[in-house]
Amino acid sequence: MEHTGTVLTGFVALYIFMLAAFTGYEIIGRVPSILHTPLMSGSNFVHGIVVVGAIYATLNATSLLEQAIGFFGVLLGAGNAAGGYVVTERMLDMFKSSDKKPANK
């Protein structure tokens, strides 16, 4: 059976990375700072997709090195997503009002 899939060369991957970096910089630079928290939540969603991709790559790995790299990718992606949610929660807590009445003393 002949392989007919598209091969992603290093130059194409670098080109896509540069376009993504430029687009991300332009989008983030134009967002007001009050909207950075919802934007961070959206980026956490994207990291969830990265974890799914890393799991898919790990399941299709054929050698031990590929499996180890895939596992490391899953580990880093999951840690990044979980950390992003923790930071988002802390930032949202900063916007809550602190005028609660003290408990009966």
Side-chain angles (χ1 to χ4, degrees):
M1 181 170 218
E2 189 173 312
H3 180 67
T4 59
T6 303
V7 177
L8 189 65
T9 63
F11 181 73
V12 173
L14 179 64
Y15 180 71
I16 292 172
F17 176 76
M18 289 174 55
L19 278 177
F22 179 73
T23 303
Y25 178 77
E26 287 297 319
I27 289 173
I28 297 294
R30 294 172 193 232
V31 172
S33 60
I34 192 78
L35 295 177
H36 280 187
T37 302
L39 188 64
M40 184 183 294
S41 295
S43 67
N44 289 339
F45 169 72
V46 172
H47 286 286
I49 295 172
V50 169
V51 171
V52 171
I55 290 171
Y56 180 76
T58 303
L59 292 176
N60 290 317
T62 55
S63 69
L64 183 63
L65 179 63
E66 292 173 349
Q67 291 173 350
I69 291 173
F71 176 75
F72 194 63
V74 171
L75 197 66
L76 288 178
N80 196 11
Y85 282 115
V86 169
V87 169
T88 301
E89 182 68 26
R90 288 190 68 187
M91 289 181 71
L92 289 175
D93 285 344
M94 292 171 53
F95 291 105
K96 290 181 180 175
S97 62
S98 60
D99 58 345
K100 294 180 182 175
K101 293 181 180 179
N104 294 336
K105 289 187 178 181

